[in-house]
Amino acid sequence: MSQESGDAEALLPLTPAVFQILLALSDGERHGYAIMREVEASTQGQLRIGPGTLYRSIKQMLAQGLIAETEERPDPALDDERRRYYRLTDFGQRVAAAEARRLARLVAQARQRHLLDIPGFDPGFDPGFDPGFDPGLGGA
Amino acid sequence: MERDDAPSDVTVWSARLYRTLLLAFPAPFRRAYSDEMAHAFRDLCRAAWRTRGACGVLALWPGALRDLLLAASAEHVGGLTMLRLTMILSLTAPALFVLDNLAFMVWAVSLGDPPDFMTNVAIYGFIGWLGLAVVAWLLGAFVAARQGRWGWFALALCLPYAGSLLYSVLESIAPPGVAVIQDA
């Protein structure tokens, strides 16, 4: 059952696969294989989603109204017409943002407890920390 | 080393095998997604072939098998409602019972004197059937109470009795020697 009008927070926490799929679709429509490649590339190969996990997640996300199948093909001339493309819905965007905020709060808590100050610790990516971001921890 | 785009044997056979393994998924899921999944795996194989050759394609398989196993089992369990579970148990109980007794009968007819373990299998098979029938009945009662679907409940309840009826039929048509052995 679609929850398009529902509460985004109610679906949290998302599984890593679902969140990564939402992230992969956040900058445009993609087909299944392109989502797999994008997830692998954006996590530097740390997370690989197989077709089974991907399409189970897609089925669940379609039912929840997080993503939708798109009718228009980005470039029909360059692509196999049997491929199905998926896009993020407005609700999916809200859920992805809510999950990102939840994760940001967790990271902020870890930062407060100096877990990220360990010498030699390398998060493996540029966190792009925004000093103006308020994780909502009550000004601790 | 980059290879050309022409499909290799290992790529073609991997894609075919993967498509066959998709039979492990429930039919509705397969109808909706098997073409796309096969397509995606074929693309993975082609990319692996271009960069690492046959070794790259073969290296995809452990992860692909694990992914298929987990996704297919999760899809089956996810679609398993209590009502379906009840029906499966109700069908399994008499089916096991019939298989068990058929095996015993075949052995008895062909050899005349079944060994002890066959007799034990027949006895414990009967106990197992009875246990499953009770579990099915309890689950059926639970589901019926929750959902108010009395028709399905009655059917679930009747199936163990259908097994029992089948047993009577099998017993009546069994060769005399088998009856003597079972009575003994």
Side-chain angles (χ1 to χ4, degrees), chain A residues 29-49:
Chain A
E29 301 166 358
R30 290 180 201 273
H31 52 69
Y33 178 64
I35 294 172
M36 288 162 65
R37 298 307 298 247
E38 172 62 22
V39 169
E40 187 178 346
S42 65
T43 60
Q44 288 89 42
Q46 286 182 343
L47 181 66
R48 290 192 176 127
I49 300 180

Side-chain angles (χ1 to χ4, degrees), chain A residues 52-53 56 59 80 83-84, chain B residues 32 36 39 43-44 67 75:
Chain A
T53 306
R56 271 206 83 228
K59 177 190 164 193
D80 189 324
R83 286 190 198 276
R84 279 189 261 179
Chain B
E36 278 191 272
H39 209 134
D43 288 345
L44 279 175
D67 175 63
E75 196 60 31

Side-chain angles (χ1 to χ4, degrees), chain A:
Chain A
M1 186 175 64
S2 173
Q3 301 183 6
E4 282 234 36
S5 58
D7 180 12
E9 303 278 339
L11 292 181
L12 307 188
L14 301 177
T15 64
V18 168
F19 187 50
Q20 287 293 340
I21 294 169
L22 289 176
L23 287 181
L25 294 175
S26 64
D27 56 355
E29 301 166 358
R30 290 180 201 273
H31 52 69
Y33 178 64
I35 294 172
M36 288 162 65
R37 298 307 298 247
E38 172 62 22
V39 169
E40 187 178 346
S42 65
T43 60
Q44 288 89 42
Q46 286 182 343
L47 181 66
R48 290 192 176 127
I49 300 180
T53 306
L54 174 71
Y55 283 98
R56 271 206 83 228
S57 303
I58 283 178
K59 177 190 164 193
Q60 175 199 337
M61 293 163 79
L62 284 169
Q64 291 173 330
L66 298 176
I67 60 173
E69 207 175 308
T70 179
E71 298 297 323
E72 291 176 15
R73 317 185 63 72
D75 191 350
L78 292 175
D79 202 17
D80 189 324
E81 63 182 17
R82 287 169 300 178
R83 286 190 198 276
R84 279 189 261 179
Y85 281 78
Y86 302 96
R87 66 173 172 79
L88 211 55
T89 61
D90 291 343
F91 180 59
Q93 211 146 16
R94 289 209 313 273
V95 171
E99 175 71 352
R101 279 195 298 273
R102 186 186 71 81
L103 293 173
R105 279 195 293 271
L106 285 178
V107 172
Q109 282 178 357
R111 201 182 296 277
Q112 276 182 349
R113 288 162 174 74
H114 306 291
L115 290 175
L116 302 183
D117 301 339
I118 300 167
F121 172 74
D122 175 14
F125 59 94
D126 174 15
F129 183 64
D130 174 8
F133 172 74
D134 175 14
L137 291 175

